Amino acid sequence: MADQKKLLRALAGETQAIPPIWMMRQAGRYLPEYRATRAQAGDFLSLCYNPELAAEVTLQPIRRYGFDAAILFADILLVPQALGADLWFVTGEGPRLSTMTTQADFDKFRPVDDIHETLNPIYETVKILSQELPKETTLIGFAGAPWTVATYMIAGRGTKDQGPAHALMQENTALFEALLDRITLATIEYLSKQIEAGAEVVKIFDSWAGSLKGDAFEKYALEPCRQITAALKIRHPHVPVIGFPREAGEKYVGFAKATGVDCVALDNSVDPEWAAQHVQVDGCVQGNLASRHMVSGGQELVDDTRRIVRAFGKGAHIFNLGHGITPDADPDNVQLMIDTVRETTASAS
């Protein structure tokens, strides 16, 4: 039964002695079986748009580790591609997009209603997974948050300081906000279709939220997340939403209440004891082990894992990393993390 799934129980606010576990980027290059399937697909985008192979790589970490949740294998930049941006990946360097810096660039984008033609294979992947996942495993869909997606669309690539997006925000606020609005509407439709296809939870990844300061955070990170969550709750009132405003720091406080998300995912720059006191008081939190432990392993991994489980043990908690697992991680360290979580209880000394 769905109500017996550990992840859904946590998202409903239930405190559990052993928290549910999953990992950001759990389907990825650290696994040899993923590398083999990606080679079969030919390239990253071909893998994203091949429902059978995308479902296969989503299932691989579930078979290997028995995580409590599977997250759809896709990419946050599929939405800009569906809107009409050119997207390609450079080996060893990451994604590249055609840039959006002028009104003429913006005017070339497709209307939101047209995105599904491109994104239908993603919904097919969700349908396959909803049938093939173990009955106890929750299926998570996701999208990038409007601010983070916009930073890539404006710069044409990832940047250290999101400078091009900040510049456009200052120099042509109307165009910048029009882009954010378009992405927001597209994200609502995209996530809604994922839910209709079988996603039981959706997550909004705002990887660059931390570079928004002061009022800009409220306007361009918090408010779009609130709009997306509110629209999804009207259409799918029983589907939980996880928000991840990475590196929000003090702005994590009150984020759940302000946006309506059911869970706030935390990066590893915040102290778990502090977060339990200031963020978890409003509901479920997710996180927040440093992903470097998946490379280095050892006693430090065990100690930090235990600390996080105990810090969040008096409330609803989903154990996860504070960022995605990296390609150089050791699969054995993932198993050590899982074993440690399941052996550690909040009452342990």
Side-chain angles (χ1 to χ4, degrees):
M1 296 290 291
D3 59 0
Q4 294 176 327
K5 294 184 178 185
K6 283 178 64 70
L7 192 98
L8 296 180
R9 285 161 53 194
L11 290 166
E14 182 180 329
T15 302
Q16 298 172 75
I18 301 171
I21 312 167
W22 69 278
M23 237 179 18
M24 289 182 281
R25 295 190 192 144
Q26 63 189 27
R29 287 176 286 172
Y30 74 104
L31 289 178
E33 55 266 46
Y34 169 87
R35 295 194 296 270
T37 307
R38 176 165 168 173
Q40 184 183 346
D43 59 56
F44 179 77
L45 282 175
S46 297
L47 180 53
C48 289
Y49 285 118
N50 183 316
E52 288 76 21
L53 294 183
E56 168 60 22
V57 294
T58 304
L59 289 162
Q60 286 168 352
I62 307 304
R63 295 191 198 110
R64 182 186 273 254
Y65 297 115
F67 285 118
D68 295 297
I71 187 163
L72 164 71
F73 183 82
D75 192 89
I76 66 168
L77 299 182
L78 303 185
V79 166
Q81 186 177 38
L83 286 169
D86 294 327
L87 172 64
W88 66 100
F89 281 76
V90 178
T91 304
E93 295 184 21
R96 296 287 185 272
L97 284 161
S98 52
T99 57
M100 198 297 308
T101 57
T102 66
Q103 186 67 45
D105 295 333
F106 180 80
D107 291 342
K108 294 175 186 173
F109 288 142
R110 300 186 188 111
V112 167
D113 289 346
D114 291 351
I115 65 172
H116 303 303
E117 183 179 350
T118 301
L119 297 171
N120 273 326
I122 310 307
Y123 314 141
E124 284 301 314
T125 303
V126 176
K127 288 176 184 175
I128 293 170
L129 289 167
S130 68
Q131 297 299 312
E132 295 194 6
L133 278 168
K135 64 183 185 302
E136 68 273 12
T137 310
T138 303
L139 177 55
I140 304 173
F142 77 95
W147 159 250
T148 288
V149 172
T151 66
Y152 285 96
M153 294 179 75
I154 294 164
R157 60 189 296 171
T159 57
K160 285 186 177 180
D161 61 357
Q162 295 75 58
H166 284 285
L168 186 66
M169 183 197 304
Q170 299 299 323
E171 294 162 10
N172 193 336
T173 305
L175 178 60
F176 172 79
E177 292 183 347
L179 177 63
L180 239 63
D181 288 344
R182 182 72 60 91
I183 300 167
T184 299
L185 293 172
T187 303
I188 292 166
E189 298 305 321
Y190 180 46
L191 290 175
S192 188
K193 285 284 191 184
Q194 290 183 34
I195 293 166
E196 290 168 17
E200 300 167 279
V201 177
V202 292
K203 181 172 178 179
I204 303 167
F205 283 87
D206 209 350
S207 302
W208 302 126
S211 75
L212 292 168
K213 306 302 180 187
D215 291 346
F217 182 89
E218 273 72 33
K219 289 174 69 175
Y220 303 134
L222 191 153
E223 179 57 21
C225 184
R226 187 199 66 76
Q227 290 176 15
I228 294 164
T229 302
L232 292 174
K233 291 292 185 182
I234 290 168
R235 298 185 195 184
H236 313 283
H238 302 298
V239 174
V241 179
I242 303 171
F244 184 32
R246 191 171 75 90
E247 296 188 349
E250 293 282 343
K251 299 284 190 180
Y252 278 125
V253 180
F255 188 83
K257 283 186 174 179
T259 60
V261 300
D262 300 273
C263 179
V264 178
L266 305 165
D267 68 87
N268 52 275
S269 72
V270 294
D271 178 87
E273 288 82 10
W274 173 87
Q277 185 177 353
H278 295 283
V279 185
Q280 195 183 28
V281 290
D282 291 336
C284 184
V285 293
Q286 179 179 282
N288 64 333
L289 185 70
S291 47
R292 62 181 169 79
H293 289 307
M294 298 298 96
V295 180
S296 56
Q299 190 61 40
E300 192 181 6
L301 182 161
V302 172
D303 291 345
D304 275 15
T305 298
R306 287 175 176 164
R307 178 189 174 199
I308 290 164
V309 172
R310 290 168 183 162
F312 293 124
K314 295 178 182 177
H317 177 221
I318 299 164
F319 194 93
N320 206 310
L321 304 179
H323 197 25
I325 188 169
T326 54
D328 55 345
D330 183 341
D332 289 344
N333 290 333
V334 177
Q335 190 62 56
L336 176 59
M337 174 193 75
I338 293 168
D339 293 343
T340 302
V341 171
R342 292 178 176 163
E343 292 163 2
T344 305
T345 63
S347 60
S349 59

